[in-house]
Amino acid sequence: MREGRKDVSQNKTIQFEHLGLIDYKEAWDYQDKLFTGILDMKSRNRNAAPEAQEVTPNYLLFCSHPHVYTLGKSGHESNLLINEEGLKAKGATFYKINRGGDITYHGPGQIVGYPILDLDHFFTDIHKYLRFLEEAIILTLKDYGIEAGRISGLTGVWLDHVEQKNPRKICAMGVKCSRWVTMHGFAFNINTDLDYFNNIVPCGITDKQVTSLAKELGRELPMAEVEEKLLGHLATLFEASITKD
C-alpha cells in the first residue's frame, strides 16, 4: 500500500498485547521497535512494485509502569518538583521523551495505552486521532456512571469539564506521529496512588487537580474489567478488529 492511498490492502486489524507491569524504558524501546518497523515497511513500499507492496501492521499495547515521571518535548523540567534524591526516596525514575506535552506520572494502577497505528489505514488526521482516544476513555467512564469530557485547549479527559468548579484530569495523553504512524498514547488513572502527582505540576497545569476512577467511585476496580470495556470502545471508534494472541 502506497502512503496515503486507501485501497484493498487497507488493514484495520489491531494486534493487542498486554505487557503487564513493565519498566518504562523497556516498554519505550519495544514501542520504538514496532514503530520503526512500520516506518521501514512504508519506506520500502514507496519504491516497490504494486505486487510487492507490504501491508503495514497496527499494534496496541496495554501496560502499567513502576513509578516514573516523563517529560515531553514541549515541557519544562521545572515542573518536576523533586530532585534526584527525592526521586530515589519515592522509588521513582525520570525520563525526557519524544512525545508531545509536558510532564506526567505513570505508576501501578494505571492503564497505560500505546497505540502504534498506521493511520493510513484509518484516517490521516492527528486531531481526530486524539479525539478518538479521548472518546474511548469518556465512553468507558460513562459505563461506570461518570460524566467526563474535554476542556477547550487542554488535551486529555476531564471531570467537571462543563461548569469547571473543580475540574480534574483522569486521563493524560501525549503522542508522537511520523508519516502517519503513531506511538506513545494515554495514561488512564484507575487505582492510581495520586500522592505521586504532588511531586509534579501535572501537564504543566497549575490550577487543576488529578483524580482516578477509584477515587471517584470510592472503591478499587478490577483492572481487567476496565481494560475490556476500553478495548471495546477503541474497536468501535476505529472500526477495527482487535486481536489477542
Side-chain angles (χ1 to χ4, degrees):
M1 184 182 75
R2 296 191 182 278
E3 269 188 274
R5 180 181 170 188
K6 309 295 183 184
D7 61 28
V8 294
S9 64
Q10 187 178 65
N11 176 22
K12 302 195 83 170
T13 296
I14 300 173
Q15 301 173 41
F16 174 77
E17 186 175 357
H18 202 302
L19 303 179
L21 181 66
I22 183 173
D23 175 77
Y24 183 83
K25 183 62 164 56
E26 184 179 351
W28 186 9
D29 288 345
Y30 185 47
Q31 272 195 86
D32 191 61
K33 177 183 175 182
L34 299 176
F35 175 81
T36 301
I38 297 174
L39 289 178
D40 288 348
M41 193 177 293
K42 294 185 82 164
S43 293
R44 292 194 296 271
N45 281 346
R46 279 205 302 249
N47 301 312
E51 64 275 11
Q53 297 285 306
E54 302 172 84
V55 179
T56 52
N58 305 292
Y59 303 98
L60 174 60
L61 310 177
F62 275 7
C63 64
S64 61
H65 297 303
H67 305 298
V68 60
Y69 298 103
T70 66
L71 182 69
K73 292 185 297 182
S74 57
H76 301 280
E77 196 165 343
S78 60
N79 288 326
L80 177 66
L81 305 179
I82 55 176
N83 57 21
E84 189 171 343
E85 288 185 1
L87 287 169
K88 288 180 180 177
K90 286 284 186 180
T93 53
F94 171 68
Y95 290 98
K96 295 180 181 179
I97 61 174
N98 59 351
R99 60 161 171 79
D102 207 291
I103 197 164
T104 195
Y105 161 77
H106 298 311
Q110 278 184 339
I111 299 174
V112 179
Y114 296 130
I116 305 156
L117 308 181
D118 182 353
L119 292 182
D120 272 327
H121 294 311
F122 302 96
F123 46 77
T124 49
D125 184 333
I126 193 64
H127 296 288
K128 182 177 179 179
Y129 171 69
L130 284 166
R131 301 298 83 80
F132 271 28
L133 294 184
E134 291 168 346
E135 189 66 18
I137 304 295
I138 290 167
L139 291 171
T140 302
L141 290 166
K142 188 176 181 181
D143 289 336
Y144 289 95
I146 294 177
E147 181 182 352
R150 304 169 182 86
I151 294 178
S152 179
L154 300 176
T155 303
V157 177
W158 298 80
L159 276 59
D160 189 19
H161 60 291
V162 179
E163 294 185 359
Q164 296 187 38
K165 294 179 179 178
N166 179 29
R168 48 211 186 274
K169 179 178 276 192
I170 197 166
C171 182
M173 294 187 180
V175 303
K176 175 183 177 179
C177 185
S178 177
R179 290 172 46 213
W180 299 116
V181 181
T182 67
M183 67 179 290
H184 298 296
F186 59 85
F188 184 11
N189 297 330
I190 310 301
N191 301 321
T192 315
D193 183 349
L194 299 176
D195 286 345
Y196 276 82
F197 285 98
N198 295 328
N199 302 312
I200 59 173
V201 180
C203 302
I205 301 168
T206 58
D207 61 343
K208 293 177 175 61
Q209 302 299 311
V210 177
T211 191
S212 68
L213 187 53
K215 181 176 181 180
E216 296 298 323
L217 294 179
R219 61 183 174 89
E220 287 203 352
L221 282 296
M223 295 291 288
E225 175 188 282
V226 185
E227 288 167 350
E228 282 301 312
K229 293 179 184 296
L230 179 54
L231 281 173
H233 293 307
L234 287 167
T236 299
L237 289 163
F238 283 89
E239 298 179 344
S241 172
I242 298 179
T243 63
K244 302 178 183 180
D245 291 334

